[in-house]
Amino acid sequence: MAEQSTRVTDDEVLKVIEDHLVVRGVSAERIVRGATWKADLGIDSLDILTLTQELEDTFHVKIGEEDAIDIRTVGDAIDYIVRVSGARTESEAHGV
């Protein structure tokens, strides 16, 4: 039986971000890679915190406090989740 890829894609992360923000009144058209949380999307610190938690829970990753500070745009979040989930997947594949 072929092994299924567990690698997270950009689209999967974007979908979680969109779902989280749209219910908070952010227009889906505004949720693009270059959009900043506060200036472009108008979300506050609590929204960012709950989004971070949702990303951690959904993709089974841990976003450290210092890393979270550096995640300022939708694209930053996507890139971070894809990178750390890929690193985790590589470790699992090698039995680490």
Side-chain angles (χ1 to χ4, degrees):
M1 182 181 337
E3 187 176 313
Q4 286 189 334
S5 173
T6 57
R7 214 168 257 275
V8 175
T9 67
D10 290 13
D11 289 341
E12 291 171 321
V13 180
L14 180 59
K15 175 81 168 100
V16 171
I17 294 169
E18 285 177 343
D19 290 349
H20 183 88
L21 297 178
V22 166
V23 298
R24 285 159 178 77
V26 178
S27 169
E29 295 80 33
R30 293 175 46 210
I31 306 169
V32 295
R33 287 189 69 87
T36 60
W37 302 128
K38 294 180 181 182
D40 296 325
L41 301 176
I43 63 172
D44 62 22
S45 298
L46 182 57
D47 286 328
I48 294 168
L49 181 64
T50 58
L51 174 58
T52 299
Q53 183 65 50
E54 187 166 347
L55 290 168
E56 288 178 330
D57 293 346
T58 301
F59 297 108
H60 309 288
V61 298
K62 177 68 178 144
I63 302 172
E65 189 175 327
E66 287 185 19
D67 291 327
I69 291 169
D70 291 335
I71 298 174
R72 295 187 172 111
T73 68
V74 172
D76 291 344
I78 292 169
D79 294 342
Y80 182 87
I81 297 297
V82 169
R83 184 177 70 250
V84 298
S85 67
R88 184 198 71 228
T89 301
E90 290 295 319
S91 296
E92 291 169 355
H94 292 49
V96 175

